[in-house]
Each structure stands twice: as C-alpha cells, then as structure tokens.
Amino acid sequence: MSNSEQQQTTSRLWQLYQNTIFVLSERPVEAEQRCIITACNPGGSVLSKSENTLLQGQLAGRLNRQGFRCSELIGAGADLKHQEPSYLIACNKLQGLELARHFKQNALYWLDGEQVWLLPAMLEGYNAVALGNFRARCRGCEQPLVTN
C-alpha cells in the first residue's frame, strides 16, 4: 500500500471511530474518569476472530493483574455491522493511553464524567475529538453512569 493510500485508510478509520456507538449488556463501571479500550484489530488491521479473542484475553488478564475495575461492552459501527468487544475501564487518560499503546491500538475513548473524547494512541497527526455525551452513544445505558 502506498503512503497516500495508507493516509486515506487512516483518515477513513479516524472518521469511523468518531461514529462509534457502545452496546452494553451490563451496568457500566462507575468512575469520574474511564477509558474504552479493545485489543482487537491492532493498528486497524482486521484479524481473525480467534486472534482477536486471544488478544482480548491478554487485555483482560492485564486489567485483572493490575487491579483495574472494568465492565464489558461492544464498540460498534452505527449500523452494528462491525463490532469489537471492549472494556470500559476505571482509569485516567494516561493509564488508558498506555494500555491502548501496549495493545497497538490506533485510538481509544476517554470519558471525563459523561463527556466522551476520541484520543489518538498510535496515530500521529490527529488531535483529540469531543464526541458528546456517553449515554447518547449507548445502547443499554439506562442507569446513571457517574455518582456524586
């Protein structure tokens, strides 16, 4: 792939990341700061289901060993055709970036209260993008997400 084609692909991915919705099947972990991270498809390269399952297991093991509180969710395209298992993790932005980079992710979602931000992790030349309210992007988010 030429450099120009790679840049176009990366730009398309960045746009897709901005349209992600989150599907929850359990009550989300509560914390003032949280990050949403997957280990699937590192660097935007689509892997097999078994490879992604292995990577997600490695992420789960690391979260457990480091004592992070988390809940599972799915990051999905607006049409729900592309879905990636992910974790909503009670952690700060720097911890989230370190985890995302360790698992070679292009980006992650950081929640400051209920405000969602798309942050570049491995991508250069991209800036953080405010994406609005977390609950507005969720399916299955009936409960309050942050307690005071």
Side-chain angles (χ1 to χ4, degrees):
M1 183 180 298
S2 73
N3 191 32
S4 174
E5 291 171 323
Q6 180 63 40
Q7 288 175 339
Q8 288 176 352
T9 298
T10 301
S11 180
R12 278 194 304 273
L13 285 173
W14 188 249
Q15 289 302 313
L16 289 171
Y17 298 157
Q18 292 178 53
N19 295 316
T20 296
I21 63 167
F22 306 107
V23 181
L24 284 83
S25 60
E26 62 186 28
R27 184 180 174 97
V29 66
E30 295 181 6
E32 186 59 33
Q33 291 189 46
R34 298 167 287 174
C35 291
I36 299 171
I37 300 171
T38 184
C40 295
N41 304 320
S45 299
V46 178
L47 300 181
S48 70
K49 184 175 181 174
S50 62
E51 290 170 308
N52 282 327
T53 298
L54 178 66
L55 289 170
Q56 277 299 101
Q58 291 171 2
L59 174 56
R62 183 169 179 153
L63 294 173
N64 186 48
R65 282 189 307 279
Q66 293 183 330
F68 285 107
R69 293 180 303 113
C70 61
S71 54
E72 294 182 31
L73 56 78
I74 302 289
D79 61 5
L80 298 176
K81 288 182 180 175
H82 180 80
Q83 299 185 16
E84 291 186 2
S86 303
Y87 289 97
L88 176 60
I89 306 161
C91 69
N92 65 42
K93 183 175 18 175
L94 292 178
Q95 291 169 315
L97 283 165
E98 192 276 325
L99 284 166
R101 289 175 180 143
H102 179 82
F103 287 94
K104 298 179 176 41
Q105 295 299 303
N106 287 335
L108 72 149
Y109 299 93
W110 174 58
L111 283 70
D112 185 17
E114 291 194 36
Q115 172 67 45
V116 180
W117 292 85
L118 173 63
L119 304 179
M122 298 291 291
L123 297 179
E124 294 183 13
Y126 289 85
N127 296 313
V129 177
L131 300 178
N133 184 279
F134 179 58
R135 280 189 275 184
R137 291 186 164 270
C138 285
R139 305 256 171 94
C141 290
E142 291 78 40
Q143 302 296 322
L145 301 177
V146 178
T147 57
N148 294 326

